[in-house]
Amino acid sequence: MQRYSGFGLVKHALSHHENWQRQWRNPTPKKEYDVIIVGGGGHGLATAYYLAKEHGITNVAVIEKGWLGGGNTARNTTIVRSNYLWDESAALYEHAMKLWEGLSQDINYNVMFSQRGVLNLGHTLQDMRDIQRRVNANRLNGIDGEVLDARGVQELVPIMDCSKRARYPVMGASWQPRAGVARHDAVAWGYARGADGHGVDLLQQTEVTGFKIVDGRVVGVHTNRGDIGAKTVGCVTAGNSSVLANMAGFNLPLESHPLQALVSEPLKPILDTVVMSNHVHGYISQSDKGDLVIGAGIDGYNGYGQRGSYPTVEHTLQAIVEMFPIFSRVRMNRQWGGIVDTCPDACPILSKTPVKGLYFNCGWGTGGFKATPGSGHAFAWSLAKGQMHPLAAPFSIDRFHSGALIDEHGAAGVAH
Amino acid sequence: MFNIYCPYCEEHREEEEFHPKGQAHIQRPTDPDACSDKAWGDYLFFRDNPRGIHHELWVHAVGCRKFFNITRHTVSYAILETYKMGEQPTITAESLASEEKQGDVQVADGGLQTVGASDNSVSESKGAKV
């Protein structure tokens, strides 16, 4: 694998950038692999990368029915933060945050991780109490966070309406300076290139149609390109996880919902941080290209159609204009939906399953992107060792029968 | 935007008047105290999440405020029928599969751009039955 560097850029400029190596191969499936990852999004590719790099397991295939990073990895609003309330989730998301901080160097791919900070606004007294509690919990867990009053928010974001005139006046916010945004596609591509460089086969246009299970143990998968054997299979398929679980003969506590996002026409730099509001319910940041990236709540009905209803978009934009009257005449360029697999407690599932050798990493719901490196890292460890990583263990599917739920609806930032 | 036929109001209304409430036909265990953790957890948290025909509970929140059921396709989003509480669906994944084999029913595909717009005739005809 050619290493990317400033020197390389200059060198390739001399040949008009015509001789760059392809970022990954397009291999023919082998008969058998040690590990198969189903799902070639950010989490799946990160899992494959860390399996190869940290555990030396390189006889690995990532099976993707479409193209790499074409699902929720391409559809999220790119926000990265780790200010979750409970110890278990804070540890997992902070693990990801620490990996984000060195990710571009690690995978030799510029993921444009920009620690521009995230504001979570409070509009009511109860919001502010919850923010105090969450920031205190974060700081006890070694995660940076501050509570700001309305004036502090106004200083950070002068264009936001923090006056008392607003229908839901801003009373303050939690502020995580280390949080920010990253270039979502680059994360998938960077991990893909890194994994391929270690010998992982990335099989695109390959759809898993069933699992080969012998005596309660998975021994391979059926695909539209023939059967492929495997000792261990990890499913990282987000919105389609329930479909795959049903193929393997069990059920998951998930509902798949459309979650919509939209971007505006490109503007000159105007918003240099990420603003989220649970109460008026919208979140916004500005991409490096200049578009405002906007998201909000899920559509309440189950859906796999990667699109949602217009009233949801309308509510989102009402919230944005409520916070930023200056954006009232900005035109929206594109709008789309992704299918998020929401869990009853707004926390993911990283777990063994009733089928031996078959693992699931799903249920990230509305906030999976921020966890991509941590999720892949912990899941790779679990697949390699045959037991769940200590950070992943609390997120077992058993918690829905034992009652040990991790309720993160408050910190999830997206109502569902 | 869905155009939903409320079986109680006997009219089509816009989606914003309704709220989806998840999977339909879930029965509360008759004796919760006698439930195993497994049975209770399954009842509380585990849902069918099909990619295809889904029977779901909706409430006409700013209309008659009554709960009713919808059979809907979760990929095309086409509403196939609406029916009152206590009634059973006439369209199921199994019934569609057998009809499809005979070739006399066209199942909505995933290419619909306007959500629900072309489904009026279907839900109307079904709505009239219930």
Side-chain angles (χ1 to χ4, degrees), chain B residues 77-91:
Chain B
Y77 296 173
I79 294 171
L80 302 175
E81 63 176 338
T82 62
Y83 53 101
K84 292 177 182 173
M85 294 303 291
E87 294 178 344
Q88 290 301 312
T90 59
I91 300 175

Side-chain angles (χ1 to χ4, degrees), chain A residues 75-104:
Chain A
R75 293 159 193 271
N76 62 77
T77 47
T78 79
I79 299 167
V80 175
R81 60 189 173 89
S82 61
N83 52 355
Y84 279 71
L85 176 66
W86 298 103
D87 293 353
E88 295 86 351
S89 37
L92 186 59
Y93 288 104
E94 180 62 12
H95 180 55
M97 179 63 86
K98 287 189 173 135
L99 289 167
W100 276 115
E101 287 175 328
L103 189 60
S104 290

Side-chain angles (χ1 to χ4, degrees), chain B:
Chain B
M1 172 83 84
F2 293 135
N3 198 14
I4 297 172
Y5 181 84
C6 171
Y8 293 100
C9 299
E10 302 185 340
E11 275 178 31
H12 281 88
R13 300 286 184 86
E14 286 186 356
E15 179 185 341
E16 278 178 291
E17 293 192 13
F18 301 86
H19 286 308
K21 293 288 175 185
Q23 186 184 335
H25 307 301
I26 295 173
Q27 286 204 340
R28 186 181 166 86
T30 44
D31 185 5
D33 290 336
C35 269
S36 65
D37 287 352
K38 169 116 186 25
W40 187 244
D42 284 350
Y43 161 67
L44 281 182
F45 300 122
F46 285 73
R47 297 288 176 264
D48 294 343
N49 187 21
R51 193 186 169 94
I53 302 298
H54 189 228
H55 307 289
E56 54 200 14
L57 191 63
W58 285 68
V59 59
H60 196 175
V62 295
C64 62
R65 301 176 67 187
K66 288 193 171 120
F67 284 80
F68 63 97
N69 302 302
I70 292 183
T71 303
R72 201 173 53 87
H73 197 284
T74 59
V75 180
S76 71
Y77 296 173
I79 294 171
L80 302 175
E81 63 176 338
T82 62
Y83 53 101
K84 292 177 182 173
M85 294 303 291
E87 294 178 344
Q88 290 301 312
T90 59
I91 300 175
T92 61
E94 294 76 36
S95 75
L96 272 186
S98 63
E99 284 181 54
E100 202 181 19
K101 257 183 217 157
Q102 295 159 10
D104 54 2
V105 158
Q106 203 178 5
V107 182
D109 65 14
L112 291 177
Q113 285 303 308
T114 311
V115 174
S118 61
D119 311 317
N120 296 354
S121 58
V122 180
S123 52
E124 208 154 37
S125 63
K126 297 297 175 191
K129 270 186 209 165
V130 291

Side-chain angles (χ1 to χ4, degrees), chain A residues 121-124 127 161-171 277 279-281 319 322-323:
Chain A
L121 301 181
H123 300 265
T124 64
D127 274 359
D161 181 5
C162 294
S163 69
K164 295 233 167 9
R165 288 194 315 271
R167 184 167 176 193
Y168 302 101
V170 174
M171 296 183 71
S277 167
H279 196 84
V280 301
H281 208 206
E322 160 81 14
M323 292 189 281

